[in-house]
Amino acid sequence: MDYTTQMDAAKKGIITWEMDTVAKKEGMEVETLRELVAKGRVAIPANKNHKALNPEGVGEGLRTKINVNLGVSKDCKSFEVEMEKVKAALEMKAEAIMDLSSYGKTAEFRKALIEMSPAMIGTVPVYDAVGFYDKELSDITVDEFFQVVEKHAEDGVDFVTIHAGLNRETINTFKRNKRLTNIVSRGGSLMYAWMELNNAENPFYEHYDRLLDICEKYDLTLSLGDACRPGSINDSTDACQIKELMVLGELTLRAWERNVQIIIEGPGHMAINEIASNMILEKKLCHGAPFYVLGPIVTDIAPGYDHITSAIGGAIAAANGADFLCYVTPAEHLRLPNLEDMKEGIIATKIAAHAADIAKNIKGARDWDNEMSTARQELNWNKMFDLAIDPEKARRYRKESTPEHEDSCTMCGKMCSMRNMNKIMSGKNINILRTDE
């Protein structure tokens, strides 16, 4: 192999199998894609040890991708239940799965996931560290943190979330600027606690080159986590969030010098009117690196419906430059999502991603909608079901309320505009009250 990472290959003018695969999926000239990867505008997370991977690109000019969070926890530790969710997520064509396992058979689950998944796999190694070492957080050493990262990389994880931007300067900014919800990032709060308890710098910031060594060795994409993402709309776009984003921009350039691919994680909870400007800020401060947003959730009042609040924010964010959406389920803020919650979260996020792709004029995005519109005009119900983002639900709704006339539905009956326009435009009479066809 004449290159170490996808970015290294791209800078050397080498077209990798992964680049060729992504270019074909996106309908993009492979040379254009190579240039974007070389500049860091597109990342292709593809660990050398993930043999089942069907690679995807994340970034400028590409379809908006979605990620599904899964994994075992202390309160919900069934390996089998989570694996059923994995299978469903893959059937629903999620491009990425993040294994957020924090208890029990984490290594076994991760390895099984990587072995079976064509989707890219991400993890947050700090979640795994406490259980892996069976030690209190404050007692974990710097070496042990890095050993867990390397273990995940060796297993074949394609991208890892590391909260390296939460350094002492960022913490001081946080302390000087009061928030309603403090630090809501789980990984960020764990790193904050470790730093405070040990009166130490963030090891992933202080020893960043050591982290880059691991990434370069395995072609592990670094997803720079947003420890200071807002956990309420009150806290968005504050000094703490922006300070961390500035640090992440500096870390991005250092990673690119080492040919390590970068994705930047972003907010969080955020009012609608702030979303577009936040996308501009990220792209500016982080030099056009791909942006991965968690929502944004646009209002804090809807537990049980946060797949909707997040889809609203996600669509606006992606239409204004975000490249990668983390799904949110109806169970957000309440419990670990079950299978049905996961499905609803995936559908809502896919809708947001597709709506944004239309706004961004992504090649071929409108074709799907135009096919659906044609099927509706033709009253071709089976084709409509086949084209639906959730065919199962569409078929079930139709079956649950059968119309008198097949060329209509129970909403409009023979007043159906499509039915009547088709008749009139073909020179026929319409028969709303008469019983003849």
mmCIF file of all heavy atoms in Angstrom, residues 365-393:
data_model
loop_
_atom_site.group_PDB
_atom_site.id
_atom_site.type_symbol
_atom_site.label_atom_id
_atom_site.label_comp_id
_atom_site.label_asym_id
_atom_site.label_seq_id
_atom_site.Cartn_x
_atom_site.Cartn_y
_atom_site.Cartn_z
ATOM 1 N N ALA A 365 -31.498 14.292 -6.112
ATOM 2 C CA ALA A 365 -32.355 14.325 -4.918
ATOM 3 C C ALA A 365 -33.821 14.497 -5.278
ATOM 4 O O ALA A 365 -34.700 13.855 -4.693
ATOM 5 C CB ALA A 365 -31.907 15.436 -3.973
ATOM 6 N N ARG A 366 -34.126 15.363 -6.248
ATOM 7 C CA ARG A 366 -35.519 15.633 -6.613
ATOM 8 C C ARG A 366 -36.157 14.508 -7.417
ATOM 9 O O ARG A 366 -37.381 14.445 -7.542
ATOM 10 C CB ARG A 366 -35.615 16.925 -7.419
ATOM 11 C CG ARG A 366 -35.462 18.185 -6.588
ATOM 12 C CD ARG A 366 -35.544 19.422 -7.466
ATOM 13 N NE ARG A 366 -35.486 20.633 -6.658
ATOM 14 C CZ ARG A 366 -36.554 21.278 -6.212
ATOM 15 N NH1 ARG A 366 -37.762 20.823 -6.504
ATOM 16 N NH2 ARG A 366 -36.426 22.373 -5.479
ATOM 17 N N ASP A 367 -35.336 13.624 -7.989
ATOM 18 C CA ASP A 367 -35.885 12.571 -8.849
ATOM 19 C C ASP A 367 -36.878 11.692 -8.095
ATOM 20 O O ASP A 367 -37.927 11.306 -8.633
ATOM 21 C CB ASP A 367 -34.752 11.701 -9.404
ATOM 22 C CG ASP A 367 -33.851 12.476 -10.353
ATOM 23 O OD1 ASP A 367 -34.236 13.600 -10.748
ATOM 24 O OD2 ASP A 367 -32.767 11.964 -10.688
ATOM 25 N N TRP A 368 -36.547 11.352 -6.868
ATOM 26 C CA TRP A 368 -37.410 10.522 -6.027
ATOM 27 C C TRP A 368 -38.776 11.191 -5.854
ATOM 28 O O TRP A 368 -39.825 10.561 -6.020
ATOM 29 C CB TRP A 368 -36.710 10.294 -4.693
ATOM 30 C CG TRP A 368 -37.356 9.346 -3.736
ATOM 31 C CD1 TRP A 368 -38.473 8.591 -3.927
ATOM 32 C CD2 TRP A 368 -36.907 9.038 -2.414
ATOM 33 N NE1 TRP A 368 -38.749 7.840 -2.803
ATOM 34 C CE2 TRP A 368 -37.807 8.095 -1.859
ATOM 35 C CE3 TRP A 368 -35.837 9.469 -1.644
ATOM 36 C CZ2 TRP A 368 -37.662 7.589 -0.565
ATOM 37 C CZ3 TRP A 368 -35.689 8.957 -0.357
ATOM 38 C CH2 TRP A 368 -36.591 8.034 0.167
ATOM 39 N N ASP A 369 -38.753 12.489 -5.523
ATOM 40 C CA ASP A 369 -40.002 13.232 -5.323
ATOM 41 C C ASP A 369 -40.818 13.310 -6.614
ATOM 42 O O ASP A 369 -42.047 13.198 -6.590
ATOM 43 C CB ASP A 369 -39.693 14.642 -4.815
ATOM 44 C CG ASP A 369 -39.027 14.622 -3.445
ATOM 45 O OD1 ASP A 369 -37.831 14.274 -3.381
ATOM 46 O OD2 ASP A 369 -39.704 14.925 -2.463
ATOM 47 N N ASN A 370 -40.118 13.520 -7.719
ATOM 48 C CA ASN A 370 -40.826 13.612 -9.004
ATOM 49 C C ASN A 370 -41.486 12.287 -9.380
ATOM 50 O O ASN A 370 -42.592 12.262 -9.935
ATOM 51 C CB ASN A 370 -39.862 14.062 -10.099
ATOM 52 C CG ASN A 370 -39.423 15.504 -9.916
ATOM 53 O OD1 ASN A 370 -40.062 16.271 -9.196
ATOM 54 N ND2 ASN A 370 -38.331 15.879 -10.546
ATOM 55 N N GLU A 371 -40.808 11.175 -9.062
ATOM 56 C CA GLU A 371 -41.406 9.861 -9.307
ATOM 57 C C GLU A 371 -42.666 9.671 -8.459
ATOM 58 O O GLU A 371 -43.687 9.151 -8.935
ATOM 59 C CB GLU A 371 -40.403 8.757 -8.981
ATOM 60 C CG GLU A 371 -39.334 8.530 -10.023
ATOM 61 C CD GLU A 371 -38.521 7.288 -9.695
ATOM 62 O OE1 GLU A 371 -39.063 6.172 -9.837
ATOM 63 O OE2 GLU A 371 -37.361 7.440 -9.277
ATOM 64 N N MET A 372 -42.587 10.098 -7.196
ATOM 65 C CA MET A 372 -43.751 9.980 -6.312
ATOM 66 C C MET A 372 -44.899 10.852 -6.822
ATOM 67 O O MET A 372 -46.068 10.424 -6.842
ATOM 68 C CB MET A 372 -43.386 10.375 -4.885
ATOM 69 C CG MET A 372 -44.564 10.358 -3.909
ATOM 70 S SD MET A 372 -45.281 8.707 -3.663
ATOM 71 C CE MET A 372 -44.204 8.093 -2.356
ATOM 72 N N SER A 373 -44.586 12.058 -7.254
ATOM 73 C CA SER A 373 -45.627 12.955 -7.750
ATOM 74 C C SER A 373 -46.302 12.377 -8.987
ATOM 75 O O SER A 373 -47.527 12.482 -9.157
ATOM 76 C CB SER A 373 -45.029 14.326 -8.066
ATOM 77 O OG SER A 373 -44.547 14.923 -6.878
ATOM 78 N N THR A 374 -45.509 11.764 -9.859
ATOM 79 C CA THR A 374 -46.062 11.130 -11.050
ATOM 80 C C THR A 374 -46.990 9.979 -10.669
ATOM 81 O O THR A 374 -48.094 9.836 -11.223
ATOM 82 C CB THR A 374 -44.934 10.616 -11.964
ATOM 83 O OG1 THR A 374 -44.115 11.725 -12.359
ATOM 84 C CG2 THR A 374 -45.499 9.933 -13.204
ATOM 85 N N ALA A 375 -46.570 9.167 -9.700
ATOM 86 C CA ALA A 375 -47.398 8.049 -9.248
ATOM 87 C C ALA A 375 -48.705 8.553 -8.646
ATOM 88 O O ALA A 375 -49.769 7.963 -8.838
ATOM 89 C CB ALA A 375 -46.629 7.204 -8.238
ATOM 90 N N ARG A 376 -48.640 9.671 -7.918
ATOM 91 C CA ARG A 376 -49.859 10.248 -7.331
ATOM 92 C C ARG A 376 -50.794 10.748 -8.421
ATOM 93 O O ARG A 376 -52.012 10.542 -8.360
ATOM 94 C CB ARG A 376 -49.484 11.389 -6.377
ATOM 95 C CG ARG A 376 -48.965 10.901 -5.037
ATOM 96 C CD ARG A 376 -48.709 12.031 -4.078
ATOM 97 N NE ARG A 376 -48.354 11.504 -2.771
ATOM 98 C CZ ARG A 376 -47.477 12.068 -1.941
ATOM 99 N NH1 ARG A 376 -46.856 13.184 -2.309
ATOM 100 N NH2 ARG A 376 -47.226 11.527 -0.774
ATOM 101 N N GLN A 377 -50.233 11.409 -9.407
ATOM 102 C CA GLN A 377 -51.056 11.922 -10.492
ATOM 103 C C GLN A 377 -51.735 10.777 -11.247
ATOM 104 O O GLN A 377 -52.890 10.877 -11.653
ATOM 105 C CB GLN A 377 -50.182 12.759 -11.437
ATOM 106 C CG GLN A 377 -50.950 13.475 -12.549
ATOM 107 C CD GLN A 377 -51.113 12.597 -13.783
ATOM 108 O OE1 GLN A 377 -50.213 11.830 -14.126
ATOM 109 N NE2 GLN A 377 -52.268 12.684 -14.428
ATOM 110 N N GLU A 378 -51.042 9.654 -11.348
ATOM 111 C CA GLU A 378 -51.594 8.496 -12.045
ATOM 112 C C GLU A 378 -52.464 7.628 -11.141
ATOM 113 O O GLU A 378 -53.047 6.644 -11.599
ATOM 114 C CB GLU A 378 -50.440 7.654 -12.598
ATOM 115 C CG GLU A 378 -49.638 8.357 -13.687
ATOM 116 C CD GLU A 378 -48.393 7.580 -14.080
ATOM 117 O OE1 GLU A 378 -48.024 6.619 -13.354
ATOM 118 O OE2 GLU A 378 -47.778 7.929 -15.108
ATOM 119 N N LEU A 379 -52.555 8.002 -9.863
ATOM 120 C CA LEU A 379 -53.285 7.209 -8.866
ATOM 121 C C LEU A 379 -52.780 5.754 -8.843
ATOM 122 O O LEU A 379 -53.544 4.807 -8.686
ATOM 123 C CB LEU A 379 -54.793 7.256 -9.127
ATOM 124 C CG LEU A 379 -55.424 8.642 -8.970
ATOM 125 C CD1 LEU A 379 -56.854 8.659 -9.512
ATOM 126 C CD2 LEU A 379 -55.403 9.090 -7.510
ATOM 127 N N ASN A 380 -51.473 5.641 -8.965
ATOM 128 C CA ASN A 380 -50.814 4.329 -8.976
ATOM 129 C C ASN A 380 -50.387 4.009 -7.541
ATOM 130 O O ASN A 380 -49.271 4.306 -7.118
ATOM 131 C CB ASN A 380 -49.612 4.355 -9.921
ATOM 132 C CG ASN A 380 -48.987 2.987 -10.092
ATOM 133 O OD1 ASN A 380 -49.149 2.098 -9.257
ATOM 134 N ND2 ASN A 380 -48.253 2.816 -11.176
ATOM 135 N N TRP A 381 -51.302 3.402 -6.781
ATOM 136 C CA TRP A 381 -51.078 3.205 -5.354
ATOM 137 C C TRP A 381 -49.887 2.302 -5.067
ATOM 138 O O TRP A 381 -49.091 2.581 -4.170
ATOM 139 C CB TRP A 381 -52.348 2.649 -4.695
ATOM 140 C CG TRP A 381 -53.474 3.620 -4.770
ATOM 141 C CD1 TRP A 381 -54.493 3.640 -5.670
ATOM 142 C CD2 TRP A 381 -53.652 4.777 -3.947
ATOM 143 N NE1 TRP A 381 -55.318 4.714 -5.461
ATOM 144 C CE2 TRP A 381 -54.828 5.432 -4.395
ATOM 145 C CE3 TRP A 381 -52.960 5.312 -2.873
ATOM 146 C CZ2 TRP A 381 -55.303 6.586 -3.809
ATOM 147 C CZ3 TRP A 381 -53.428 6.471 -2.268
ATOM 148 C CH2 TRP A 381 -54.593 7.102 -2.741
ATOM 149 N N ASN A 382 -49.731 1.234 -5.797
ATOM 150 C CA ASN A 382 -48.620 0.314 -5.532
ATOM 151 C C ASN A 382 -47.271 0.986 -5.763
ATOM 152 O O ASN A 382 -46.320 0.763 -5.009
ATOM 153 C CB ASN A 382 -48.742 -0.947 -6.397
ATOM 154 C CG ASN A 382 -49.835 -1.867 -5.892
ATOM 155 O OD1 ASN A 382 -50.106 -1.933 -4.690
ATOM 156 N ND2 ASN A 382 -50.488 -2.574 -6.803
ATOM 157 N N LYS A 383 -47.209 1.811 -6.797
ATOM 158 C CA LYS A 383 -45.957 2.526 -7.035
ATOM 159 C C LYS A 383 -45.699 3.540 -5.930
ATOM 160 O O LYS A 383 -44.559 3.730 -5.498
ATOM 161 C CB LYS A 383 -45.991 3.218 -8.398
ATOM 162 C CG LYS A 383 -44.641 3.809 -8.792
ATOM 163 C CD LYS A 383 -44.647 4.328 -10.223
ATOM 164 C CE LYS A 383 -43.267 4.876 -10.598
ATOM 165 N NZ LYS A 383 -43.252 5.412 -11.978
ATOM 166 N N MET A 384 -46.764 4.200 -5.457
ATOM 167 C CA MET A 384 -46.611 5.132 -4.334
ATOM 168 C C MET A 384 -46.055 4.422 -3.110
ATOM 169 O O MET A 384 -45.158 4.921 -2.429
ATOM 170 C CB MET A 384 -47.950 5.785 -3.983
ATOM 171 C CG MET A 384 -48.422 6.853 -4.936
ATOM 172 S SD MET A 384 -49.934 7.635 -4.283
ATOM 173 C CE MET A 384 -51.136 7.121 -5.498
ATOM 174 N N PHE A 385 -46.581 3.233 -2.820
ATOM 175 C CA PHE A 385 -46.098 2.472 -1.664
ATOM 176 C C PHE A 385 -44.629 2.106 -1.851
ATOM 177 O O PHE A 385 -43.824 2.208 -0.919
ATOM 178 C CB PHE A 385 -46.924 1.195 -1.474
ATOM 179 C CG PHE A 385 -48.391 1.441 -1.224
ATOM 180 C CD1 PHE A 385 -49.340 0.540 -1.689
ATOM 181 C CD2 PHE A 385 -48.813 2.555 -0.534
ATOM 182 C CE1 PHE A 385 -50.696 0.761 -1.457
ATOM 183 C CE2 PHE A 385 -50.170 2.786 -0.299
ATOM 184 C CZ PHE A 385 -51.113 1.881 -0.764
ATOM 185 N N ASP A 386 -44.280 1.662 -3.041
ATOM 186 C CA ASP A 386 -42.894 1.255 -3.305
ATOM 187 C C ASP A 386 -41.926 2.425 -3.153
ATOM 188 O O ASP A 386 -40.782 2.245 -2.720
ATOM 189 C CB ASP A 386 -42.763 0.674 -4.713
ATOM 190 C CG ASP A 386 -43.472 -0.668 -4.852
ATOM 191 O OD1 ASP A 386 -43.742 -1.313 -3.817
ATOM 192 O OD2 ASP A 386 -43.769 -1.060 -6.003
ATOM 193 N N LEU A 387 -42.382 3.617 -3.506
ATOM 194 C CA LEU A 387 -41.518 4.796 -3.436
ATOM 195 C C LEU A 387 -41.490 5.435 -2.049
ATOM 196 O O LEU A 387 -40.599 6.241 -1.758
ATOM 197 C CB LEU A 387 -41.991 5.845 -4.448
ATOM 198 C CG LEU A 387 -41.745 5.519 -5.922
ATOM 199 C CD1 LEU A 387 -42.539 6.473 -6.811
ATOM 200 C CD2 LEU A 387 -40.256 5.604 -6.248
ATOM 201 N N ALA A 388 -42.444 5.087 -1.194
ATOM 202 C CA ALA A 388 -42.555 5.733 0.123
ATOM 203 C C ALA A 388 -41.316 5.482 0.978
ATOM 204 O O ALA A 388 -40.713 4.407 0.914
ATOM 205 C CB ALA A 388 -43.798 5.229 0.845
ATOM 206 N N ILE A 389 -40.938 6.453 1.785
ATOM 207 C CA ILE A 389 -39.788 6.304 2.672
ATOM 208 C C ILE A 389 -40.059 5.227 3.725
ATOM 209 O O ILE A 389 -39.145 4.587 4.231
ATOM 210 C CB ILE A 389 -39.422 7.663 3.326
ATOM 211 C CG1 ILE A 389 -37.982 7.637 3.844
ATOM 212 C CG2 ILE A 389 -40.409 8.055 4.419
ATOM 213 C CD1 ILE A 389 -37.434 9.018 4.164
ATOM 214 N N ASP A 390 -41.353 4.994 4.017
ATOM 215 C CA ASP A 390 -41.760 3.907 4.916
ATOM 216 C C ASP A 390 -42.920 3.158 4.248
ATOM 217 O O ASP A 390 -44.089 3.395 4.555
ATOM 218 C CB ASP A 390 -42.190 4.474 6.274
ATOM 219 C CG ASP A 390 -42.539 3.397 7.294
ATOM 220 O OD1 ASP A 390 -42.503 2.200 6.932
ATOM 221 O OD2 ASP A 390 -42.842 3.747 8.445
ATOM 222 N N PRO A 391 -42.623 2.263 3.316
ATOM 223 C CA PRO A 391 -43.683 1.563 2.570
ATOM 224 C C PRO A 391 -44.648 0.798 3.466
ATOM 225 O O PRO A 391 -45.850 0.754 3.195
ATOM 226 C CB PRO A 391 -42.898 0.604 1.666
ATOM 227 C CG PRO A 391 -41.534 1.203 1.549
ATOM 228 C CD PRO A 391 -41.281 1.865 2.867
ATOM 229 N N GLU A 392 -44.140 0.212 4.523
ATOM 230 C CA GLU A 392 -44.981 -0.593 5.412
ATOM 231 C C GLU A 392 -46.101 0.240 6.025
ATOM 232 O O GLU A 392 -47.264 -0.170 6.048
ATOM 233 C CB GLU A 392 -44.117 -1.209 6.514
ATOM 234 C CG GLU A 392 -44.871 -2.082 7.484
ATOM 235 C CD GLU A 392 -43.970 -2.605 8.601
ATOM 236 O OE1 GLU A 392 -42.739 -2.650 8.419
ATOM 237 O OE2 GLU A 392 -44.517 -2.955 9.667
ATOM 238 N N LYS A 393 -45.755 1.421 6.510
ATOM 239 C CA LYS A 393 -46.764 2.292 7.125
ATOM 240 C C LYS A 393 -47.761 2.793 6.088
ATOM 241 O O LYS A 393 -48.972 2.856 6.344
ATOM 242 C CB LYS A 393 -46.093 3.471 7.825
ATOM 243 C CG LYS A 393 -47.059 4.311 8.643
ATOM 244 C CD LYS A 393 -46.305 5.349 9.474
ATOM 245 C CE LYS A 393 -47.255 6.086 10.402
ATOM 246 N NZ LYS A 393 -46.537 7.065 11.266
#
